[in-house]
Amino acid sequence: MAKLTVSDLDVKGKKVLMRVDFNVPIKDGVIGNDNRIVAALPTIKYVIEHGGKAILLSHLGRIKSEDDKPGLSMRPVAERLSNLLNKPVTFVPTTEGPQLEDAINKMNDGDVLVMENTRYEDVKNGEQVKRESKNDPALGKYWASLGDLFINDAFGTAHRQHASNVGIASNMPQTAAGFLMEKEIKFIGGAVSNPAHPFVAILGGAKVSDKIGVIDNLLGKADKVIIGGGMTYTFYAAKGMKIGNSLVEKDKIDLAKQIMDKAGDKLVLPVDSVVAEKFDNDAAHKTVDGDIPDGYMALDIGPKSVAEFEDVLKSAKLVVWNGPMGVFEMSNYAEGTLEIGKYLGTLSDATTIVGGGDSTAAVQQLGVGDKLTHISTGGGASLEYLEGKTLPGIAAISEK
Ligand code: AMP
């Protein structure tokens, strides 16, 4: 069944509570990168252009003590939002009480209000009570009482059961997905629940242990699972190959063997690697086939692997990519990730999805993102979604 979305709602004259993801990098009150605020604009604009009153809630960072609060106030975010919308935005420096309620009651249709960081509720009078993060039932109920409708557009926290997503939703007659959330459900949810074929998954990154749930779930759904990045070498060790000083999770070698037995020829491993003497961009490096020589560590896939992976990818109708092919942060080991990203951009008949976290950072840093179908905004959330788990934040959104 399809989820209710913002365009299904009649927001005119309504107080619309909106959980957005404004968890931007911030230092000394200065916002480092406002991508997440920009990403929330379509849903906010839709609500205000249709005569709703937009009441925005988001968390920002982690609050463990009173000392954390001043540096993680939502005030600069509200100011940036006001600039981006080119209209006044009311900031309320609290998360509950008469000041907040009065400000909401004074709103006109089309107004925007941002309340203080929802995680301020995690610390009360110096005590870590985690009312937001542990979904205190009274808090969700209280926040729900402030509005008529609820829109959840914060995919990044959808894997968490917090008061500001699940708590509010469970006290509202209807909860709708915002446009961002709708896209994540369509693309990441769709890849897991109803994938087009041939479906190829590309899984990279540092550790098998982080990705085991995803590998397991996608092996059951994909036609091929390509492995790259640091976790390759745990698989190499499981095959009895030499790995030199490459990254390895010794306690996961047996697991890697089991995965390979189960997967058969579905699993595709790199055939060559860029190896270096040290974990350093300027270290002496070279490309080798197969085994990693003593004294070297593998830091990227090599050109033969790129060619083989492209061959597997060329007929794909759906590609899900999570995790870089190498240490893309260092220019000498970024080639494998860059080439795969560029190649995905040429697959005009395929839906190409990047599954969040470091892979999102990689495609953005390497400038290959705009040719892909969907780049997820969630790290942990997209991993858990790809593992096939039910995300509580999404489960709490009403069906159409
Ligand atoms: P993850 O968060 O699991 O997706 O892992 C991303 C990190 O894995 C990035 O910081 C990469 O630098 C790192 N990585 C990728 N390939 C390798 C490799 N061959 N050796 C060590 N680290 C790697």
Side-chain angles (χ1 to χ4, degrees), residues 15 24 32 34 43-44 65 104 134 204 232 336 370:
K15 291 183 274 189
V24 291
D34 63 4
T43 310
I44 299 169
S65 71
I104 291 173
K134 290 234 165 107
T232 303
D370 56 346

mmCIF file of all heavy atoms in Angstrom, residues 15 24 32 34 43-44 65 104 134 204 232 336 370:
data_model
loop_
_atom_site.group_PDB
_atom_site.id
_atom_site.type_symbol
_atom_site.label_atom_id
_atom_site.label_comp_id
_atom_site.label_asym_id
_atom_site.label_seq_id
_atom_site.Cartn_x
_atom_site.Cartn_y
_atom_site.Cartn_z
ATOM 1 N N LYS A 15 -2.723 24.051 11.334
ATOM 2 C CA LYS A 15 -1.408 24.085 11.991
ATOM 3 C C LYS A 15 -0.717 22.775 11.630
ATOM 4 O O LYS A 15 -1.135 21.697 12.068
ATOM 5 C CB LYS A 15 -1.584 24.197 13.505
ATOM 6 C CG LYS A 15 -2.139 25.552 13.932
ATOM 7 C CD LYS A 15 -2.248 25.669 15.439
ATOM 8 C CE LYS A 15 -3.564 25.108 15.918
ATOM 9 N NZ LYS A 15 -3.847 25.365 17.338
ATOM 10 N N VAL A 24 22.257 19.976 10.667
ATOM 11 C CA VAL A 24 23.362 20.474 9.839
ATOM 12 C C VAL A 24 24.646 20.570 10.672
ATOM 13 O O VAL A 24 24.585 20.696 11.892
ATOM 14 C CB VAL A 24 23.034 21.875 9.264
ATOM 15 C CG1 VAL A 24 21.923 21.782 8.243
ATOM 16 C CG2 VAL A 24 22.662 22.861 10.376
ATOM 17 N N GLY A 32 27.925 24.980 8.676
ATOM 18 C CA GLY A 32 28.956 24.612 7.706
ATOM 19 C C GLY A 32 28.390 24.371 6.317
ATOM 20 O O GLY A 32 28.949 24.783 5.322
ATOM 21 N N ASP A 34 24.484 23.901 4.323
ATOM 22 C CA ASP A 34 23.036 23.968 4.571
ATOM 23 C C ASP A 34 22.228 23.054 3.652
ATOM 24 O O ASP A 34 21.017 23.228 3.492
ATOM 25 C CB ASP A 34 22.538 25.416 4.495
ATOM 26 C CG ASP A 34 22.719 26.019 3.112
ATOM 27 O OD1 ASP A 34 23.149 25.309 2.185
ATOM 28 O OD2 ASP A 34 22.413 27.224 2.962
ATOM 29 N N THR A 43 8.997 20.780 0.661
ATOM 30 C CA THR A 43 7.842 20.415 1.497
ATOM 31 C C THR A 43 7.356 21.632 2.287
ATOM 32 O O THR A 43 6.154 21.875 2.402
ATOM 33 C CB THR A 43 8.215 19.255 2.442
ATOM 34 O OG1 THR A 43 8.825 18.219 1.673
ATOM 35 C CG2 THR A 43 6.987 18.706 3.134
ATOM 36 N N ILE A 44 8.290 22.415 2.815
ATOM 37 C CA ILE A 44 7.905 23.610 3.579
ATOM 38 C C ILE A 44 7.161 24.588 2.664
ATOM 39 O O ILE A 44 6.096 25.102 3.014
ATOM 40 C CB ILE A 44 9.154 24.289 4.190
ATOM 41 C CG1 ILE A 44 9.868 23.342 5.159
ATOM 42 C CG2 ILE A 44 8.768 25.600 4.892
ATOM 43 C CD1 ILE A 44 11.244 23.825 5.616
ATOM 44 N N SER A 65 24.337 17.106 28.032
ATOM 45 C CA SER A 65 24.372 17.897 29.267
ATOM 46 C C SER A 65 23.880 19.303 28.942
ATOM 47 O O SER A 65 23.763 19.666 27.760
ATOM 48 C CB SER A 65 25.805 17.972 29.808
ATOM 49 O OG SER A 65 26.569 18.808 28.962
ATOM 50 N N ILE A 104 2.508 29.879 18.489
ATOM 51 C CA ILE A 104 1.760 29.085 17.497
ATOM 52 C C ILE A 104 0.364 29.675 17.296
ATOM 53 O O ILE A 104 -0.111 29.813 16.165
ATOM 54 C CB ILE A 104 1.696 27.597 17.926
ATOM 55 C CG1 ILE A 104 3.098 26.973 17.822
ATOM 56 C CG2 ILE A 104 0.687 26.813 17.075
ATOM 57 C CD1 ILE A 104 3.224 25.560 18.365
ATOM 58 N N LYS A 134 14.158 8.765 23.773
ATOM 59 C CA LYS A 134 13.531 7.513 24.227
ATOM 60 C C LYS A 134 12.020 7.551 24.029
ATOM 61 O O LYS A 134 11.291 6.719 24.563
ATOM 62 C CB LYS A 134 13.889 7.252 25.699
ATOM 63 C CG LYS A 134 15.355 6.893 25.900
ATOM 64 C CD LYS A 134 15.482 5.571 26.653
ATOM 65 C CE LYS A 134 16.873 5.010 26.562
ATOM 66 N NZ LYS A 134 17.616 5.133 27.823
ATOM 67 N N GLY A 204 30.430 -1.495 -0.722
ATOM 68 C CA GLY A 204 31.825 -1.230 -0.404
ATOM 69 C C GLY A 204 31.939 -0.695 0.999
ATOM 70 O O GLY A 204 31.074 -0.940 1.845
ATOM 71 N N THR A 232 36.571 -6.102 1.008
ATOM 72 C CA THR A 232 37.017 -7.105 0.033
ATOM 73 C C THR A 232 38.024 -8.075 0.654
ATOM 74 O O THR A 232 37.996 -9.275 0.376
ATOM 75 C CB THR A 232 37.735 -6.382 -1.139
ATOM 76 O OG1 THR A 232 36.843 -5.439 -1.699
ATOM 77 C CG2 THR A 232 38.216 -7.354 -2.187
ATOM 78 N N GLY A 336 38.791 4.172 -8.315
ATOM 79 C CA GLY A 336 37.806 3.085 -8.432
ATOM 80 C C GLY A 336 36.406 3.600 -8.141
ATOM 81 O O GLY A 336 35.458 3.340 -8.901
ATOM 82 N N ASP A 370 24.947 14.234 -9.906
ATOM 83 C CA ASP A 370 23.771 14.758 -10.618
ATOM 84 C C ASP A 370 23.271 13.858 -11.747
ATOM 85 O O ASP A 370 22.188 14.065 -12.278
ATOM 86 C CB ASP A 370 24.034 16.188 -11.118
ATOM 87 C CG ASP A 370 25.269 16.262 -11.989
ATOM 88 O OD1 ASP A 370 26.042 15.287 -11.980
ATOM 89 O OD2 ASP A 370 25.455 17.280 -12.686
#
